[in-house]
Amino acid sequence: MPAISINKKGLHNYEILERFEAGIVLSGQEVKSVKGGQMHLDGAYVRVRGGEAWLVGAEIPKYRFAGPLPDYDAQRTRKLLFRKREIRYLTGKTQEKGLTLVPVSVYTSRSKIKLEIGLARGRQSHDKRDVMKERDVKRQIARALKRGM
């Protein structure tokens, strides 16, 4: 299950509390474009409205081998496929203060395109610095262990 696209900005700005898997409703040429690695999740978010979940702000550029598509919108809102109880759960959680739904990554699972969504809480700038420090320390330890071997 290699990731096609990862939302690095979302992982940096938010602390992921829970993760969920959802299918995406795509057109045929969008599927080819996504499988070709052309989906961008920067600035995207998930909105739950009317008992349905929607992916807003994700960009899937036009498939380069597709014919003329005059009405194609690369950033259109796309429907996400969840179970009803998951949507009810997410609706309740997003109404809590400070929680939001952030797309984390896109990957394939048995020829289907799946979106990993995280229930997230925003990080403040000092939290981001702490995470970066921890990452640097782990990297230095790994280098020292590698040199010592």
Side-chain angles (χ1 to χ4, degrees):
M1 152 178 115
I4 295 171
S5 178
I6 298 174
N7 188 358
K8 291 181 183 178
K9 196 175 210 180
L11 291 173
H12 178 71
N13 291 332
Y14 294 95
E15 174 189 0
I16 306 298
L17 305 175
E18 285 185 70
R19 293 175 186 252
F20 300 92
E21 180 182 77
I24 312 172
V25 177
L26 299 172
S27 67
Q29 64 98 14
E30 286 178 331
V31 171
K32 288 186 167 200
S33 186
V34 169
K35 285 188 176 181
Q38 297 299 311
M39 186 170 187
H40 307 288
L41 294 174
D42 295 337
Y45 61 96
V46 176
R47 176 178 287 159
V48 180
R49 239 186 317 170
E52 295 179 336
W54 300 90
L55 178 63
V56 180
E59 182 181 359
I60 302 176
K62 182 183 142 193
Y63 184 58
R64 63 182 177 161
F65 299 114
L69 299 168
D71 296 7
Y72 183 68
D73 180 17
Q75 291 196 342
R76 73 177 176 89
T77 302
R78 293 168 177 88
K79 186 176 179 179
L80 298 177
L81 305 172
F82 276 109
R83 290 192 163 87
K84 285 184 182 180
R85 70 177 132 80
E86 288 178 326
I87 289 179
R88 284 193 302 267
Y89 178 78
L90 292 174
T91 302
K93 285 293 189 176
T94 55
Q95 290 175 352
E96 290 181 23
K97 185 174 177 152
L99 295 181
T100 187
L101 294 172
V102 177
V104 176
S105 67
V106 176
Y107 57 92
T108 57
S109 174
R110 288 193 248 145
S111 77
K112 304 279 192 242
I113 295 175
K114 300 291 184 173
L115 178 70
E116 184 177 21
I117 295 168
L119 183 63
R121 176 175 287 123
R123 284 189 181 144
Q124 295 180 348
S125 60
H126 61 84
D127 293 334
K128 294 177 194 177
R129 285 192 299 268
D130 292 341
V131 170
M132 288 172 23
K133 284 179 190 175
E134 288 175 24
R135 192 177 331 131
D136 289 341
V137 168
K138 286 180 184 177
R139 191 176 300 133
Q140 289 173 357
I141 291 171
R143 282 184 193 146
L145 290 174
K146 191 173 181 181
R147 271 187 263 138
M149 294 180 140

